[in-house]
Amino acid sequence: MRHSDGNGRSTFPRFKNILRVVGATAVVLYFALPVALLHWDLDRLIFSAQSNAPTHEDQRFDVAVSPETIVVVRRYGGAGQACAFFFPGQHGGIDTYEGTLFPLIREAGADVYAISYPGQDGAKGHARRDLLPGQVALAIAQVSRATRCDMGRSVFVGRSLGATVALVEASTFRPKGVLVDGLGADLSSVVRAWISRHPALVGWQMLPVRALSGRPDYDATLLFGQISAVPVAVFQGTADTVTPYALARDATLGHSNVTFTTVAGGTHQDTYMLAGDAYAGSLRSLLAGNTSRSR
């Protein structure tokens, strides 16, 4: 009996040590995974799920931006009106916009030039944050030269990630105006919003997301400052959990060229549709060069 009791007492401390090691390993892995993803693999996460559904454009431009990478621009309309360059979100989905957004833009008096980033909607290659602005700029420049889309008769329209891309490209091209919805205040805030939507990952909020995700962070406040002469209309839904409403609104404060419109109950998916006439009216005003600075 004494011998057996001795073994029991010696076994229990070993078991506790094993539990400590397992627990410590689990904690390390819990935080090591997001560190690795944010620092080395964020591009793959951002541009992961893509659409390849059939589209029905009037003309297609395949712009080679590298030997293995293409940016696609699709024209909808007769190439005789003003031009609206459209920048989609991370998943593309041009076929969906053919039925929801593009008719609205056409009715407002513009032909649509819908951009697909590498990997989206049949565009060859894989998108990267650091290369995307230059690649899209090359595509816009080539399409503008091949059409009547000089910047004096062009507006930029962006949704979600595309809202940020539209602002970045506006700093290069200075279009007649920019219309966006589902705008992220910056990349790190969008990542934190994603973490918040997954309760099991709440501990990841402790991580230095901005430092781990690296540059560019695409700070909307700074982007607005770079295009102070370009009128910008922002529509943001109060129920948007992907690009939170309050952060987007705060990013626009202090910029006289920016008009901010609150869409009550609008989510990240449907804000532009719920905005309806106000969205269409804003687009028409930008195309006409008749904008209001009131909020």
Side-chain angles (χ1 to χ4, degrees):
M1 292 293 295
R2 291 174 182 169
H3 180 69
S4 176
D5 289 343
N7 284 344
R9 286 192 296 272
S10 63
T11 300
F12 186 66
R14 287 200 298 271
F15 181 68
K16 287 199 298 184
N17 289 337
I18 292 173
L19 287 179
R20 291 192 187 102
V21 171
V22 171
T25 301
V27 170
V28 170
L29 291 176
Y30 179 80
F31 288 105
L33 177 61
V35 167
L37 290 175
L38 291 172
H39 192 64
W40 288 292
D41 214 16
L42 188 56
D43 284 337
R44 187 179 64 83
L45 294 177
I46 293 174
F47 301 103
S48 56
Q50 310 294 352
S51 169
N52 283 296
T55 56
H56 308 88
E57 62 273 6
D58 293 300
Q59 185 177 6
R60 170 171 167 154
F61 303 86
D62 285 11
V63 181
V65 295
S66 79
E68 300 296 327
T69 307
I70 289 174
V71 172
V72 174
V73 182
R74 294 175 170 87
R75 177 177 59 79
Y76 296 83
Q81 302 191 93
C83 305
F85 285 90
F86 174 68
F87 304 81
Q90 68 184 107
H91 303 309
I94 295 300
D95 63 305
T96 297
Y97 294 120
E98 287 181 346
T100 60
L101 179 59
F102 296 169
L104 183 153
I105 297 175
R106 296 279 293 119
E107 290 171 6
D111 295 321
V112 179
Y113 289 81
I115 297 169
S116 293
Y117 317 133
Q120 288 184 345
D121 297 303
K124 182 181 178 182
H126 301 280
R128 284 176 43 183
R129 283 176 299 148
D130 57 338
L131 299 180
L132 188 63
Q135 294 171 338
V136 172
L138 178 60
I140 294 173
Q142 289 198 16
V143 170
S144 295
R145 287 195 295 269
T147 64
R148 297 176 59 192
C149 293
D150 60 88
M151 290 301 112
R153 60 197 306 271
S154 298
V155 297
F156 288 178
V157 179
R159 297 206 63 250
S160 189
L161 171 68
T164 300
V165 178
L167 294 176
V168 172
E169 299 302 337
S171 67
T172 298
F173 291 97
R174 298 297 196 273
K176 200 168 186 179
V178 180
L179 171 62
V180 299
D181 74 280
L183 174 67
D186 53 41
L187 178 60
S188 55
S189 70
V190 174
V191 172
R192 289 195 180 279
W194 180 84
I195 294 172
S196 296
R197 299 196 302 276
H198 299 80
L201 308 182
V202 64
W204 292 10
Q205 295 285 13
M206 300 168 58
L207 296 171
V209 173
R210 186 185 297 271
L212 289 171
S213 58
R215 295 291 177 182
D217 194 48
Y218 295 123
D219 188 312
T221 299
L222 297 179
L223 292 174
F224 289 137
Q226 293 171 6
I227 54 172
S228 58
V230 178
V232 181
V234 179
F235 285 76
Q236 200 78 9
T238 57
D240 192 329
T241 59
V242 177
T243 53
Y245 168 84
L247 296 178
R249 179 176 176 82
D250 289 349
T252 68
L253 298 176
H255 297 282
S256 61
N257 61 315
V258 182
T259 300
F260 186 92
T261 300
T262 298
V263 181
T267 68
H268 196 67
Q269 290 72 34
D270 65 8
T271 287
Y272 72 98
M273 290 184 283
L274 291 180
D277 292 342
Y279 186 96
S282 182
L283 178 58
R284 284 192 293 270
S285 293
L286 291 172
L287 288 168
N290 178 23
T291 58
S292 170
R293 296 291 180 259
S294 61
R295 290 178 178 271

